[in-house]
Amino acid sequence: MSQPIVYGDAISTYVRSVRLALEEKGVPHTLAAVDLVKGQHKEDGHLVRHPWGKMPAFEHDGILFYEASAILRYIDEAFPGPALMPSTPVERVRVNQVMSIVDSYGYPASITNIFIPRVLVPSLGGQTDEAQVEAAKPQAALFLKEIDRLLGEASYFGGATVSLADLHLLPVLTYLQATPEGQALVAATPNIAAWMGRMNERSSAQAVMPAA
Ligand SMILES: N[C@@H](CCC(=O)N[C@@H](CS)C(=O)NCC(=O)O)C(=O)O
């Protein structure tokens, strides 16, 4: 089996989720840099990998595909190492539900509408769109409330061991928590705050998200 290639930028949440899964499985991989800030994901070289001009794209054993949740499930199934999906239908539906919540509601509220205007835009010399951030706050609060409810008292979203849901969620919450709005939301959900502490102690998180 050849070493997989992740095409993307190390700062991207979805790239991070894929690399976290590879680390959890103990799979060495290559990160082929596609610079997000420079917009290389919109250039022809990357559009052949991902026609929507997003990241990550993933290559393994001569096949090339994209969509982070599909890549995550592939990694879990194609490589040996600890299973990242739980074994019972009830646990599996929880994992799939959380992954879908991240994609449909969590990422747009937390990253597109809070982290990017609050942190990324100013870091590049621009100004935060306060109305954009303000409008996203109720959705971000609902996101935290729901994932808190879904985690409950469990250690991880799939139960006793780390799952794809945990790896899909961690990079998004890490960036959300880097904003004052997100910090307040995480602090108000102690189970999620404790889960983040557990996740950040993992060697996978330390390898992929060194600043976390
Ligand atoms: N549906 C895609 C979304 C990927 C995505 O939105 N990636 C972000 C980086 S975290 C991106 O490429 N943003 C650049 C853009 O939207 O122009 C997936 O699940 O892989």
Side-chain angles (χ1 to χ4, degrees):
M1 254 193 207
S2 61
Q3 188 163 304
I5 305 172
V6 181
Y7 295 93
D9 194 312
I11 67 169
S12 147
T13 62
Y14 284 114
V15 169
R16 286 181 167 192
S17 293
V18 164
R19 298 184 71 211
L20 284 171
L22 291 166
E23 290 287 338
E24 291 284 343
K25 287 292 213 183
V27 180
H29 66 277
T30 302
L31 176 67
V34 180
D35 194 310
L36 192 59
V37 172
K38 287 187 183 149
Q40 287 178 344
H41 52 300
K42 305 295 183 196
E43 293 174 4
D44 290 348
H46 188 68
L47 288 172
V48 296
R49 301 181 198 114
H50 197 314
W52 274 273
K54 305 266 183 187
M55 59 183 70
F58 189 83
E59 188 174 350
H60 182 233
D61 271 352
I63 56 162
L64 177 66
F65 52 97
Y66 58 88
E67 286 303 291
S69 56
I71 299 168
L72 288 172
R73 291 185 178 99
Y74 174 85
I75 290 169
D76 191 33
E77 291 170 15
F79 297 102
L84 298 176
M85 282 299 270
S87 57
T88 70
V90 170
E91 291 167 328
R92 291 169 80 85
V93 78
R94 176 67 42 89
V95 168
N96 286 323
Q97 184 183 12
V98 169
M99 291 173 76
S100 202
I101 288 171
V102 169
D103 289 337
S104 301
Y105 318 114
Y107 183 94
S110 309
I111 305 300
T112 309
N113 292 319
I114 297 184
F115 176 76
I116 290 177
R118 177 66 75 218
V119 176
L120 188 62
V121 168
S123 78
L124 299 173
Q127 256 198 324
T128 299
D129 181 339
E130 294 293 342
Q132 181 185 10
V133 172
E134 202 53 37
K137 279 164 63 176
Q139 281 290 300
L142 181 56
F143 174 46
L144 264 290
K145 186 174 164 218
E146 255 317 86
I147 57 169
D148 187 47
R149 182 184 72 78
L150 291 166
L151 180 65
E153 300 296 321
S155 295
Y156 302 101
F157 285 91
T161 57
V162 79
S163 74
L164 295 181
D166 302 283
L167 308 177
H168 208 44
L169 176 62
L170 181 66
V172 172
L173 280 195
T174 299
Y175 279 158
L176 181 62
Q177 202 186 23
T179 69
E181 293 80 5
Q183 211 167 43
L185 290 172
V186 172
T189 50
N191 287 345
I192 294 294
W195 170 87
M196 286 189 80
R198 273 194 296 285
M199 291 301 294
N200 282 324
E201 279 170 11
R202 301 184 75 82
S203 57
S204 62
Q206 284 165 17
V208 170
M209 308 195 305

